[in-house]
Amino acid sequence: MNALLLIDIQNDFVPGGRLAVPDGDAIIPLVNALQPQFDLVVASQDWHPAGHHSFASSHADRSACDQIELHGLPQTLWPDHCLQETPGASLHPDLETHRVEAIFRKGTAPEIDSYSAFHDNGHRKATGLADYLRGRGITEVYLAGLAGDYCVYFSALDSLAEGFATTLITDATRPISADGFRAALADLQSKGARLLESPALLAPQEA
């Protein structure tokens, strides 16, 4: 059994959003086309309270993209984004959601960021995603979404650590940094993840 995990395809992460991933909305038609190929489709959603400690605005004399230590963990400071109950936190309106069986929200604890859909950055609390997937009989996880060098990457790392056969669909994700994405993909491959482009999944089956 396999699952497609859609990472953070939200309004604030596409062009015009507060933390836009370049060309982020371009993946949406492809992600929609991929969904019927999987036994299960689930999504993650960044869901920050106001004043989250990962926001640059929460720190005096700090700017977005500054690097700090936050409660013992390295932290990039971000613009305010994906605030709970705001339009920016909503899943993109063009994303088809009728096949999405569950949505796992992350980044809800103000004192710690959560890139991965499975755990916060300190692995102090789980979202429940891994247990949900195991309960549904899932053994293979395929990932797509935003951003490839952050939330998709860390979700893939945790998927591997949780024991799932893990595949990142490279053309169904977009990164903030092309160089960062190349490094992320190399690291994932070195740890046993597979990289795949969508035609391998969408190609018509031979009779």
Side-chain angles (χ1 to χ4, degrees):
M1 295 278 286
N2 61 28
L4 176 63
L5 178 53
L6 304 177
I7 302 294
D8 299 0
I9 305 177
Q10 295 168 255
N11 291 328
D12 269 346
F13 293 132
V14 300
R18 291 184 171 189
L19 185 51
V21 177
D23 209 27
D25 52 351
I27 69 169
I28 294 173
L30 180 53
V31 165
N32 290 340
L34 285 166
Q35 292 185 43
Q37 310 302 314
F38 292 89
D39 300 313
L40 176 70
V41 181
V42 297
S44 70
Q45 189 176 19
D46 233 19
W47 196 250
H48 294 308
H52 196 276
H53 296 187
S54 69
F55 295 164
S57 63
S58 298
H59 303 269
D61 303 318
R62 290 290 189 172
S63 302
C65 298
D66 282 357
Q67 305 293 318
I68 67 166
E69 184 176 292
L70 181 62
H71 305 298
L73 294 172
Q75 176 68 52
T76 299
L77 294 180
W78 304 107
D80 292 22
H81 65 279
C82 295
L83 292 167
Q84 296 172 4
E85 309 294 349
T86 66
S90 297
L91 297 176
H92 193 282
D94 293 338
L95 178 68
E96 293 181 4
T97 57
H98 63 281
R99 291 188 176 88
V100 175
E101 295 195 26
I103 297 171
F104 289 82
R105 288 174 168 169
K106 60 191 184 66
T108 58
E111 72 280 358
I112 190 167
D113 214 352
S114 296
Y115 295 152
S116 169
F118 290 89
H119 298 275
D120 63 53
N121 288 2
H123 280 226
R124 297 166 186 171
K125 292 183 180 179
T127 63
L129 174 57
D131 287 341
Y132 178 82
L133 294 175
R134 280 191 281 266
R136 295 297 303 273
I138 298 300
T139 58
E140 299 179 70
V141 170
Y142 291 71
L143 297 102
L146 306 170
D149 45 344
Y150 283 94
C151 295
V152 179
Y153 167 56
F154 283 97
S155 296
L157 286 177
D158 279 348
S159 177
L160 288 166
E162 292 287 350
F164 298 105
T166 300
T167 301
L168 194 152
I169 308 171
T170 55
D171 57 340
T173 189
R174 291 291 187 278
I176 293 174
S177 159
D179 288 343
F181 194 39
R182 281 190 288 271
L185 294 179
D187 186 50
L188 288 171
Q189 279 191 299
S190 74
K191 291 176 167 64
R194 185 170 62 145
L195 307 181
L196 195 67
E197 291 195 347
S198 57
L201 298 166
L202 295 171
Q205 300 295 312
E206 294 184 5

